[in-house]
Coordinates of all heavy atoms in Angstrom, one line a residue:
S1 N 1.3 17.3 -2.8 CA 1.1 16.9 -1.4 C 2.4 16.2 -0.9 O 2.8 16.4 0.2 CB -0.1 15.9 -1.3 OG -1.3 16.6 -1.7
V2 N 3.0 15.4 -1.7 CA 4.3 14.7 -1.4 C 5.3 15.8 -1.2 O 6.1 15.7 -0.2 CB 4.7 13.7 -2.4 CG1 6.1 13.2 -2.2 CG2 3.7 12.5 -2.4
Y3 N 5.3 16.8 -2.0 CA 6.3 17.9 -1.9 C 6.2 18.5 -0.5 O 7.1 18.7 0.3 CB 6.0 19.0 -3.0 CG 6.8 20.2 -2.8 CD1 8.0 20.5 -3.6 CD2 6.5 21.2 -1.9 CE1 8.7 21.6 -3.4 CE2 7.2 22.4 -1.7 CZ 8.3 22.6 -2.5 OH 9.1 23.7 -2.3
E4 N 4.9 18.9 -0.1 CA 4.7 19.6 1.1 C 5.1 18.7 2.3 O 5.8 19.2 3.3 CB 3.2 20.0 1.3 CG 2.9 21.4 0.6 CD 3.6 22.5 1.3 OE1 3.2 22.9 2.4 OE2 4.6 23.0 0.7
Y5 N 4.6 17.5 2.3 CA 4.9 16.6 3.5 C 6.4 16.2 3.6 O 6.9 16.2 4.7 CB 4.0 15.4 3.4 CG 4.1 14.5 4.6 CD1 3.7 15.0 5.8 CD2 4.6 13.2 4.5 CE1 3.8 14.2 7.0 CE2 4.7 12.5 5.7 CZ 4.3 13.0 6.9 OH 4.4 12.2 8.0
S6 N 7.0 15.9 2.4 CA 8.4 15.6 2.5 C 9.3 16.7 3.0 O 10.2 16.6 3.8 CB 8.9 15.1 1.1 OG 8.2 14.0 0.7
H7 N 8.9 17.9 2.4 CA 9.7 19.1 2.8 C 9.5 19.4 4.3 O 10.5 19.7 5.0 CB 9.2 20.3 2.0 CG 10.0 21.5 2.1 ND1 9.5 22.7 2.7 CD2 11.3 21.8 1.8 CE1 10.4 23.6 2.7 NE2 11.5 23.1 2.2
W8 N 8.3 19.2 4.8 CA 8.0 19.3 6.3 C 8.9 18.3 7.1 O 9.6 18.7 8.1 CB 6.6 19.1 6.5 CG 6.2 19.1 8.0 CD1 6.0 18.0 8.8 CD2 5.9 20.3 8.8 NE1 5.6 18.5 10.1 CE2 5.5 19.8 10.1 CE3 5.8 21.6 8.5 CZ2 5.2 20.7 11.1 CZ3 5.5 22.5 9.5 CH2 5.2 22.0 10.8
C9 N 8.9 17.1 6.6 CA 9.7 16.0 7.3 C 11.2 16.3 7.3 O 11.9 16.0 8.2 CB 9.4 14.7 6.8 SG 7.7 14.1 7.1
M10 N 11.7 16.9 6.2 CA 13.1 17.2 6.1 C 13.5 18.2 7.1 O 14.6 18.1 7.7 CB 13.4 17.7 4.6 CG 13.3 16.7 3.6 SD 13.4 17.4 1.9 CE 13.1 16.0 0.9
H11 N 12.7 19.3 7.2 CA 13.1 20.4 8.1 C 12.7 20.1 9.6 O 13.1 20.8 10.5 CB 12.5 21.7 7.6 CG 13.3 22.2 6.4 ND1 14.6 22.6 6.5 CD2 12.8 22.4 5.2 CE1 14.9 23.0 5.3 NE2 13.9 22.9 4.4
L12 N 11.8 19.2 9.8 CA 11.3 18.9 11.2 C 11.3 17.4 11.5 O 10.3 16.8 11.5 CB 9.9 19.5 11.3 CG 9.3 19.6 12.7 CD1 10.1 20.7 13.5 CD2 7.9 19.9 12.7
P13 N 12.6 16.9 11.6 CA 12.7 15.4 11.8 C 12.2 15.0 13.2 O 12.1 15.9 14.1 CB 14.2 15.2 11.7 CG 14.8 16.5 12.0 CD 13.9 17.5 11.6
M14 N 11.7 13.8 13.3 CA 11.2 13.3 14.6 C 12.2 12.1 15.0 O 12.8 11.5 14.2 CB 9.8 12.7 14.5 CG 8.8 13.8 14.2 SD 7.1 13.1 14.0 CE 6.8 12.5 15.7
T15 N 12.2 11.9 16.3 CA 13.0 10.7 16.8 C 12.4 9.4 16.3 O 13.1 8.5 16.0 CB 13.2 10.7 18.3 OG1 11.9 10.8 18.9 CG2 14.0 11.9 18.8
R16 N 11.1 9.4 16.2 CA 10.4 8.2 15.7 C 10.1 8.5 14.2 O 9.3 9.4 14.0 CB 9.1 7.9 16.4 CG 9.0 6.6 17.0 CD 7.7 6.4 17.7 NE 6.6 6.8 16.9 CZ 5.4 6.8 17.3 NH1 5.1 6.4 18.5 NH2 4.4 7.2 16.5
R17 N 10.6 7.8 13.3 CA 10.5 8.1 11.9 C 9.0 8.0 11.5 O 8.3 7.1 11.9 CB 11.3 7.2 11.0 CG 12.8 7.5 11.1 CD 13.6 6.8 10.1 NE 13.8 5.4 10.6 CZ 14.1 4.4 9.8 NH1 14.3 4.6 8.5 NH2 14.3 3.2 10.3
R18 N 8.6 9.0 10.6 CA 7.3 9.0 10.0 C 7.2 8.0 8.9 O 8.2 7.5 8.4 CB 7.0 10.4 9.5 CG 7.0 11.5 10.6 CD 6.8 12.8 9.9 NE 7.0 13.9 10.8 CZ 8.1 14.6 10.9 NH1 9.2 14.4 10.2 NH2 8.2 15.6 11.8
L19 N 6.0 7.8 8.4 CA 5.7 6.9 7.3 C 6.6 7.2 6.1 O 7.2 6.4 5.5 CB 4.3 6.9 6.9 CG 3.9 5.9 5.8 CD1 4.1 4.5 6.3 CD2 2.4 6.1 5.5
V20 N 6.6 8.5 5.7 CA 7.4 8.9 4.5 C 8.9 8.6 4.7 O 9.6 8.2 3.7 CB 7.2 10.4 4.1 CG1 7.8 11.3 5.1 CG2 7.7 10.6 2.7
E21 N 9.4 8.7 5.9 CA 10.8 8.4 6.2 C 11.1 6.9 6.2 O 12.2 6.5 5.9 CB 11.2 9.0 7.5 CG 11.1 10.6 7.5 CD 11.2 11.2 8.8 OE1 10.6 10.6 9.8 OE2 11.8 12.3 9.0
R22 N 10.1 6.1 6.5 CA 10.3 4.7 6.6 C 10.0 4.0 5.2 O 10.7 3.1 4.9 CB 9.3 4.0 7.6 CG 9.8 4.2 9.0 CD 8.9 3.5 10.0 NE 7.6 4.4 10.0 CZ 6.5 4.0 10.6 NH1 6.4 2.8 11.1 NH2 5.5 4.8 10.6
W23 N 9.0 4.5 4.5 CA 8.6 3.8 3.3 C 9.1 4.4 2.0 O 9.2 3.8 1.0 CB 7.1 3.6 3.2 CG 6.6 2.8 4.4 CD1 6.0 3.2 5.5 CD2 6.8 1.4 4.5 NE1 5.8 2.1 6.3 CE2 6.2 1.0 5.7 CE3 7.3 0.4 3.7 CZ2 6.2 -0.3 6.1 CZ3 7.3 -0.9 4.1 CH2 6.7 -1.3 5.3
M24 N 9.4 5.7 2.0 CA 9.9 6.4 0.8 C 11.4 6.1 0.7 O 12.2 6.6 1.4 CB 9.6 7.9 0.9 CG 9.9 8.6 -0.3 SD 9.3 10.3 -0.1 CE 10.0 11.0 -1.6
V25 N 11.7 5.1 -0.2 CA 13.0 4.6 -0.4 C 14.0 5.7 -0.6 O 15.1 5.7 -0.1 CB 13.1 3.6 -1.5 CG1 14.5 3.1 -1.8 CG2 12.2 2.4 -1.2
A26 N 13.6 6.7 -1.3 CA 14.5 7.8 -1.7 C 14.6 9.0 -0.7 O 15.2 10.0 -1.0 CB 14.0 8.4 -3.1
F27 N 13.9 8.9 0.4 CA 13.8 10.0 1.3 C 15.2 10.5 1.8 O 15.5 11.7 1.7 CB 13.0 9.7 2.6 CG 12.9 10.9 3.5 CD1 11.9 11.9 3.3 CD2 13.7 11.0 4.6 CE1 11.8 13.0 4.1 CE2 13.6 12.2 5.4 CZ 12.6 13.1 5.2
R28 N 16.1 9.6 2.1 CA 17.5 10.0 2.5 C 18.2 10.7 1.4 O 18.8 11.8 1.6 CB 18.3 8.8 3.0 CG 18.0 8.4 4.4 CD 18.9 7.2 4.8 NE 20.3 7.3 4.6 CZ 21.2 7.9 5.4 NH1 20.8 8.4 6.5 NH2 22.5 7.9 5.1
F29 N 18.1 10.2 0.2 CA 18.7 10.9 -0.9 C 18.1 12.3 -1.2 O 18.8 13.2 -1.3 CB 18.5 10.0 -2.2 CG 18.9 10.8 -3.5 CD1 20.2 11.0 -3.8 CD2 17.9 11.3 -4.3 CE1 20.5 11.8 -5.0 CE2 18.2 12.1 -5.4 CZ 19.5 12.3 -5.7
L30 N 16.8 12.3 -1.1 CA 16.1 13.6 -1.4 C 16.4 14.6 -0.2 O 16.5 15.8 -0.5 CB 14.6 13.4 -1.5 CG 14.1 12.7 -2.8 CD1 12.6 12.5 -2.7 CD2 14.5 13.5 -4.0
N31 N 16.6 14.1 1.0 CA 16.9 15.0 2.1 C 18.3 15.6 1.9 O 18.5 16.8 2.0 CB 16.9 14.2 3.4 CG 16.8 15.1 4.6 OD1 16.6 16.3 4.5 ND2 16.9 14.5 5.8

């Protein structure tokens, strides 16, 4: 589930960051 949601957020960024982008410490690295 994290795979699907993170992958979605990577390819479809929003101007207002989503929860995974704010709280997932490693999101920038994984992106």
Side-chain angles (χ1 to χ4, degrees):
S1 295
V2 169
Y3 173 101
E4 274 295 286
Y5 187 63
S6 297
H7 189 245
W8 177 263
C9 292
M10 289 171 185
H11 287 294
L12 195 67
M14 293 179 66
T15 52
R16 237 180 48 183
R17 287 190 283 162
R18 301 174 185 98
L19 183 63
V20 70
E21 294 164 324
R22 283 182 286 169
W23 296 104
M24 190 173 170
V25 175
F27 183 81
R28 277 178 52 86
F29 167 77
L30 292 175
N31 200 10

